Amino acid sequence: AMKTPPVKSAKNTAPFALSLTETRPRRKSRSCKRAFYGFILYYKGGNAMLSTVTPDEALKISAAAFGGLRTPAESCQLAEALGRVLAEDIESPEYVPGFDRSSVDGYAVAAADTFGCSESSPALLRLRGRVEMGRAPEFVLAPGECAAIPTGGRLPEGADAAVMLEYSEDYGGGLIGLTKSAAPGQNVVFRGDDAAPGRAVLRAGRKLRAADI
């Protein structure tokens, strides 16, 4: 049984008070689950009346009573925004990342060129070039070609996956052997995966943390 705190209803003029209380089973068991119940205390004629409702019902009652209460929105400097609540959604003005990039050090490839390869039967590809950080590749991969690429490097046109350096071997003369196949999109962060124009990055009602700012 759960006890509720005494209520001095004579001095309380609120239409109701809402609290969420956690209950636990008496016996400890792996199958036991915690339960949450909402308690609504109604004040009628100076007497407190207790009514038990589900969490969803409690949230609906709270939203109906207080959901329309909002303070006026105002602008402030970023240095003063910590701990404040957003009045409207913050949308991204651009794509993040701005291009398809590799998430590993290795080789940019067309995934179809690696299907079925293994340590005993590596996929043999011609090295087309090397991707440099901060620069767009000036070449296009043809079937049967690959490109050396660092983590964060931009995938050249014609590539749709990246193979980790650990699963490769340089045979010399521009011939690269890959011992592990890659699926399309593997080890790739695509353009706009983190943010895109018009997509909300932070939602209205969010309390701003240091990481948000």
Side-chain angles (χ1 to χ4, degrees), residues 92 94-100 189-197 199:
S92 173
E94 58 188 28
Y95 289 98
V96 179
F99 50 83
D100 298 343
V189 180
F190 289 101
R191 180 184 187 226
D193 269 1
D194 295 331
R199 185 191 305 171

Side-chain angles (χ1 to χ4, degrees), residues 2 14 16 30 44 47 50 58 63 65 79 96 122 135 138 152 161 189 195-196 198 200:
M2 293 172 291
F16 65 82
R30 293 182 179 179
K44 294 184 177 181
N47 298 318
L50 177 66
V96 179
R135 298 184 61 182
E138 298 179 353
V189 180

Side-chain angles (χ1 to χ4, degrees), residues 89-191:
D89 291 349
I90 301 296
E91 298 181 350
S92 173
E94 58 188 28
Y95 289 98
V96 179
F99 50 83
D100 298 343
R101 59 183 177 87
S102 173
S103 61
V104 298
D105 291 332
Y107 292 92
V109 300
D113 289 336
T114 69
F115 292 167
C117 71
S118 63
E119 291 185 0
S120 60
S121 180
L124 301 179
L125 303 177
R126 284 290 175 185
L127 184 63
R128 178 68 176 81
R130 297 182 181 276
V131 176
E132 298 181 9
M133 285 295 295
R135 298 184 61 182
E138 298 179 353
F139 54 84
V140 177
L141 291 188
E145 294 182 336
C146 65
I149 191 168
T151 300
R154 183 170 184 162
L155 257 67
E157 186 178 345
D160 61 2
V163 176
M164 294 177 65
L165 189 63
E166 291 83 345
Y167 302 115
S168 67
E169 187 171 351
D170 190 344
Y171 295 120
L175 187 63
I176 303 297
L178 302 179
T179 60
K180 187 173 183 179
S181 61
Q186 187 170 346
N187 297 322
V188 175
V189 180
F190 289 101
R191 180 184 187 226

